[in-house]
Amino acid sequence: MRITVGLVAAMTLAACGETSRTVGADPAWEEPSHYSYVLRSSCGERPLLGRFRITVENGQVTKAEGVSDADKRSLESTELRPPTLGQFLDELAEARRNGADQAELTTDPTDGHPTKFTIDPIERALDDEACYAITEYRAG
């Protein structure tokens, strides 16, 4: 099941030691079947904004928890589940195919896992951007 939550824009993330990939670049990272991460969704008009702890098992999100009380309420207020990192990569690829003005990926230099996604389909449009930061990634 494809879940699109489309998030991007001016998300602040300490980029120390990260590699930035831009439109047309393909990540070298292979998505494991089991991993966890913390997602920060921070821009655009989205049903899920905030910080969430995500667990992926067998390629599916099996657990999503809001970090703060406001994040928990955001998660409870929608039927959407945060995407897997593979689904974020699919969303990025779709944005690139559709000619988005901005479709960028930042990756970790040690293993190549995504650390930031920024998508802005139309630069001059309001609230269509999506910004995601990935932290606390743990494979296995």
Side-chain angles (χ1 to χ4, degrees):
M1 180 166 135
R2 181 176 166 85
I3 300 172
T4 301
V5 180
L7 305 170
V8 167
M11 182 186 312
T12 304
L13 174 67
C16 180
E18 294 176 345
T19 302
S20 181
R21 297 179 187 267
T22 56
V23 175
D26 294 319
W29 176 74
E30 294 283 331
E31 183 178 22
S33 61
H34 295 75
Y35 60 94
S36 63
Y37 68 97
V38 172
L39 167 67
R40 179 174 177 241
S41 171
S42 65
C43 65
E45 288 192 20
R46 312 269 160 240
L48 287 175
L49 290 174
R51 290 186 68 221
F52 311 97
R53 292 187 193 286
I54 311 301
T55 302
V56 175
E57 296 175 358
N58 297 317
Q60 301 291 318
V61 172
T62 57
K63 188 174 184 181
E65 302 173 296
V67 173
S68 72
D69 287 341
D71 301 333
K72 290 174 187 172
R73 285 190 298 276
S74 175
L75 196 57
E76 291 167 358
S77 70
T78 181
E79 293 181 18
L80 291 176
R81 300 288 284 178
T84 66
L85 295 179
Q87 289 168 322
F88 278 125
L89 290 170
D90 290 345
E91 181 178 345
L92 184 72
E94 183 177 340
R96 290 174 177 169
R97 282 191 302 274
N98 292 333
D101 286 331
Q102 183 178 19
E104 296 179 359
L105 169 65
T106 303
T107 60
D108 181 279
T110 58
D111 67 1
H113 79 269
T115 58
K116 182 178 176 183
F117 296 90
T118 305
I119 302 168
D120 192 355
I122 303 170
E123 186 176 5
R124 297 184 190 267
L126 295 176
D127 296 327
D128 68 334
E129 61 276 340
C131 308
Y132 307 100
I134 309 303
T135 59
E136 300 180 40
Y137 170 80
R138 307 275 186 278

